[in-house]
Amino acid sequence: MIITHDLGKTYGNRAVVDGLDLRVPEGCVYGFLGPNGSGKSTTMKMLLSLVRPTSGEIHIMGRPMRRSTRRELLGHIGSLIESPPAYGHLTGRENMRLVQRLLDLTDNQVTQAVRTVRLRDHLEKKVRDYSLGMKQRLGLAMALAREPRLLILDEPTNGLDPAGIEEIRRLLTKVADDGTTVMVSSHLLGEIDRTATVLGILGNGRMLFQGTRDELFARSVPDVLVDTSEPQRAAALTARWHTSRLDGATVRLSGLDDKATAGVVSLLVHEDIEIHGVRRDSQSLEDVFMDLTEERGL
Amino acid sequence: MGSVRAEFLKLKRSLSWAVVVLLPLMAVTTGVVNTVVSDQQLGNGWHTLWLRVVVFYGLFPLALGVAALASLVWRVEHRGGNWNALMGRPVSSAQVVIAKLAVLAALAAAMQTVLLAGLVVAGKLVFALPGIPPARYLLVSVVIVLACLPVAALQSGLSMLMRSFAAPVAVALLGAVGGVLLVVTRVEGVAMVVPYGLLGRATQLGTGMFVDSGAVTTGVVAALVAAALGLTAAVVAGTATVLDRLDIR
Ligand SMILES: Nc1ncnc2c1ncn2[C@@H]1O[C@H](COP(=O)(O)OP(=O)(O)OP(=O)(O)O)[C@@H](O)[C@H]1O
Ligand SMILES: [Mg+2]
């Protein structure tokens, strides 16, 4: 659905996005993750041709996306970038009518979009008087009304309460089930972890990881924790070959595969150290994410 | 056409209407009060009233009013994610620019209509002038509205680029001063190719003030209209090119 090649954006002499090769498969929910300032919004704006790339190419639905071609593609792309749009001096209904006129939409498309985001009861209110969650939902309705093939959402859960976040999450799943490809950004993995089928993790404008969540797990091996009768000596011994340190009374070894783990056990047995337990640390996706982003000196 | 119609929807409950109504009425009131207070007569009936109201109106207030309208119609786009949404639609940069100009043209026409209506009411009620103003003021009014277009296009471009409400209006003030100087010093050739100068010149049409001969001839009207349309096209093309290269923040 989206393919970029060596996509980059430089402001002044600072590379904000650098050498990005995005692969967003058709029909997936693509979770676009990265800490604040990592370049998520800039990337999404380039995908929509709101910002002109300094380098690289973008192909969406097989067609090049540039300023000169954006018009043909934008009719099929719904988007919500940074803060929600809408005119505060108009009511929700008037804002929807504006989108309808601009995109030549049917009444039914508009009604359907409004129903999807559950905003039907608030259409007569001026948007100025909306809560942030309502504005966010109106923005979504505006993006959805054109029945897009691709939906690009930049932190749609920003500023929402847990119930609002859950609601957006359900909505995205529903939209994706109806066949729309969704690309959604966040700086919190937990927010999109359960909805996203493919993840892209950005750090300092570079892609740190791209793939499924299983692949993300597989990439980093959890630490091995060893409980022994002589933790100090065990730590010192293993440190000769492995990254090892004392974690309370437990020896924590990083980056060990199964074979290396067996090696460590036999070494300790050989050294007459009693082993009380050997186990893998439990690791959440959040830890993996943190590891990945911290590792690169963020 | 969708984008033009959408722009008109945005005018609902807009402050623009206050400018459209109040500015010309203020000009009419000023002209009337000046006449009444100084105890002058309207020696030449409708013509004198027109002189007292429209010439001053054309020197500063009109350009500032158009500038304020341009700032107002762009102000809403600088809020929240509206810029992203505006440019995230399958609409060309030129269409975005033209849609805004169309709205400004309509507002300028409305403003001129209010001015004419105010003038007629004042002439009838305050000065009991006979009949109605000569038809040529209708023609002059059309020329004035057309002459508003280059200023509207230029101010629209400035307000598109600047988030500030006041800065583009300040530019218009400087422009109007420059335009007045051009017209007053009778460098008509230059005045015709500077939007503010052209607007000043157009409001003097048929008044005999400064460079004007006092007659509304086909030649002058044609020159003014051609200059207005040419300048507008040039400014619109320039603005659309700038917008096409712009990174949306
Ligand atoms: N127009 C601009 N001019 C200069 N620098 C910019 C511009 N736009 C963005 N940046 C810089 O680019 C970097 C990336 O910004 P971007 O908004 O893409 O990050 P982000 O991942 O969306 O962050 P957040 O999670 O805070 O939204 C930031 O350091 C920002 O300061
Ligand atoms: Mg962002």
Side-chain angles (χ1 to χ4, degrees):
Chain A
M1 185 53 104
I2 305 176
I3 295 178
T4 73
H5 177 68
D6 194 30
L7 188 63
K9 180 69 187 180
T10 307
Y11 282 119
N13 52 11
R14 205 172 135 237
V16 170
V17 174
D18 193 8
L20 216 58
D21 294 321
L22 275 177
R23 295 283 176 278
V24 179
E26 178 138 23
C28 76
V29 176
Y30 187 98
F32 196 39
L33 289 162
N36 291 129
S38 53
K40 303 179 298 291
S41 299
T42 306
T43 303
M44 290 179 140
K45 284 179 173 181
M46 286 195 283
L47 295 179
L48 293 164
S49 203
L50 294 172
V51 162
R52 301 199 309 166
T54 319
S55 65
E57 279 169 29
I58 301 167
H59 285 261
I60 296 180
M61 301 169 204
R63 283 189 278 176
M65 177 57 144
R66 289 189 222 105
R67 277 286 157 103
S68 51
T69 58
R70 65 183 182 94
R71 289 172 62 196
E72 296 135 48
L73 286 167
L74 285 175
H76 305 287
I77 307 176
S79 60
L80 186 55
I81 301 293
E82 287 173 338
S83 31
Y87 301 97
H89 65 291
L90 302 179
T91 63
R93 185 181 304 286
E94 285 159 353
N95 271 288
M96 287 308 293
R97 191 172 313 136
L98 218 135
V99 175
Q100 180 176 12
R101 283 198 187 176
L102 258 173
L103 301 171
D104 240 335
L105 306 175
T106 63
D107 287 344
N108 192 37
Q109 283 175 306
V110 172
T111 317
Q112 192 58 45
V114 168
R115 186 175 309 147
T116 308
V117 300
R118 301 204 289 121
L119 210 59
R120 256 192 305 173
D121 301 336
H122 306 288
L123 282 184
E124 310 307 332
K125 224 196 274 188
K126 274 191 225 159
V127 172
R128 185 187 293 142
D129 303 326
Y130 272 20
S131 70
L132 184 57
M134 283 156 75
K135 282 187 192 160
Q136 205 73 265
R137 268 148 56 196
L138 179 65
L140 274 172
M142 290 164 116
L144 285 171
R146 69 192 81 176
E147 298 183 54
R149 289 179 56 195
L150 172 64
L151 197 56
I152 296 185
L153 307 174
D154 189 15
E155 313 214 20
T157 48
N158 222 350
L160 297 192
D161 56 19
I165 293 174
E166 186 53 38
E167 192 175 334
I168 299 263
R169 209 183 262 152
R170 268 204 304 272
L171 204 144
L172 292 189
T173 313
K174 179 176 180 304
V175 170
D177 285 345
D178 294 343
T180 305
T181 308
V182 182
M183 179 178 189
V184 53
S185 78
S186 176
H187 58 273
L188 296 173
L189 177 69
E191 267 180 15
I192 51 176
D193 161 24
R194 276 182 284 153
T195 2
T197 47
V198 182
L199 295 168
I201 299 179
L202 205 61
N204 266 340
R206 298 189 143 274
M207 191 67 98
L208 303 179
F209 170 84
Q210 184 168 240
T212 62
R213 47 175 296 180
D214 287 345
E215 282 167 349
L216 181 59
F217 258 128
R219 249 183 74 125
S220 70
V221 193
D223 292 350
V224 171
L225 305 177
V226 188
D227 296 320
T228 67
S229 53
E230 298 170 72
Q232 248 102 12
R233 195 155 73 88
L237 271 171
T238 48
R240 282 196 233 153
W241 292 278
H242 304 289
T243 324
S244 157
R245 65 190 165 86
L246 261 187
D247 190 351
T250 307
V251 181
R252 176 181 284 274
L253 295 134
S254 305
L256 257 56
D257 60 12
D258 289 348
K259 205 166 162 62
T261 310
V264 165
V265 171
S266 74
L267 171 74
L268 295 182
V269 169
H270 194 78
E271 291 289 332
D272 280 337
I273 297 175
E274 280 175 39
I275 298 179
H276 303 148
V278 179
R279 64 201 147 87
R280 291 270 179 197
D281 195 8
S282 68
Q283 193 182 25
S284 70
L285 210 49
E286 200 67 52
D287 296 328
V288 180
F289 176 51
M290 292 301 278
D291 272 359
L292 212 53
T293 45
E294 271 162 16
E295 201 172 284
R296 315 292 161 122
L298 294 173
Chain B
M1 277 328 272
S3 47
V4 174
R5 293 203 306 152
E7 283 303 326
F8 278 98
L9 265 183
K10 292 180 200 167
L11 285 180
K12 203 167 174 186
R13 283 188 285 271
S14 165
L15 261 181
S16 310
W17 296 114
V19 176
V20 164
V21 173
L22 294 182
L23 191 76
L25 290 188
M26 252 153 57
V28 172
T29 311
T30 311
V32 168
V33 168
N34 277 344
T35 305
V36 171
V37 168
S38 62
D39 209 14
Q40 293 164 318
Q41 300 303 306
L42 292 179
N44 214 343
W46 289 109
H47 183 67
T48 313
L49 183 58
W50 176 273
L51 273 184
R52 298 239 164 99
V53 172
V54 179
V55 172
F56 168 72
Y57 176 65
L59 289 184
F60 294 102
L62 182 52
L64 292 185
V66 171
L69 290 174
S71 282
L72 281 173
V73 299
W74 275 104
R75 187 170 65 157
V76 290
E77 310 298 350
H78 293 301
R79 298 226 172 113
N82 284 345
W83 252 119
N84 293 323
L86 187 71
M87 298 307 289
R89 293 167 201 169
V91 169
S92 71
S93 302
Q95 277 171 290
V96 172
V97 172
I98 289 171
K100 286 288 185 207
L101 181 61
V103 167
L104 288 172
L107 291 172
M111 204 151 66
Q112 186 66 26
T113 308
V114 174
L115 184 77
L116 269 182
L119 206 94
V120 171
V121 170
K124 284 275 161 208
L125 294 187
V126 184
F127 303 108
L129 293 174
I132 51 161
R136 66 177 188 146
Y137 292 122
L138 218 53
L139 173 66
V140 174
S141 290
V142 172
V143 174
I144 290 176
V145 172
L146 289 176
C148 283
L149 295 184
V151 175
L154 189 59
Q155 290 299 140
S156 173
L158 292 173
S159 299
M160 173 186 95
L161 294 174
M162 297 187 224
R163 278 178 165 268
S164 153
F165 181 89
V169 179
V171 173
L173 183 60
L174 291 179
V177 171
V180 167
L181 288 179
L182 287 176
V183 174
V184 170
T185 54
R186 300 173 190 240
V187 238
E188 195 181 5
V190 184
M192 294 284 276
V193 295
V194 177
Y196 309 99
L198 181 71
L199 186 57
R201 175 70 190 84
T203 49
Q204 286 153 25
L205 183 58
T207 62
M209 300 287 283
F210 309 115
V211 291
D212 194 77
S213 67
V216 184
T217 64
T218 319
V220 183
V221 170
L224 282 171
V225 169
L229 296 183
L231 272 176
T232 306
V235 176
V236 165
T239 311
T241 310
V242 169
L243 180 55
D244 220 25
R245 282 155 201 275
L246 206 65
D247 278 353
I248 309 303
R249 297 211 73 168

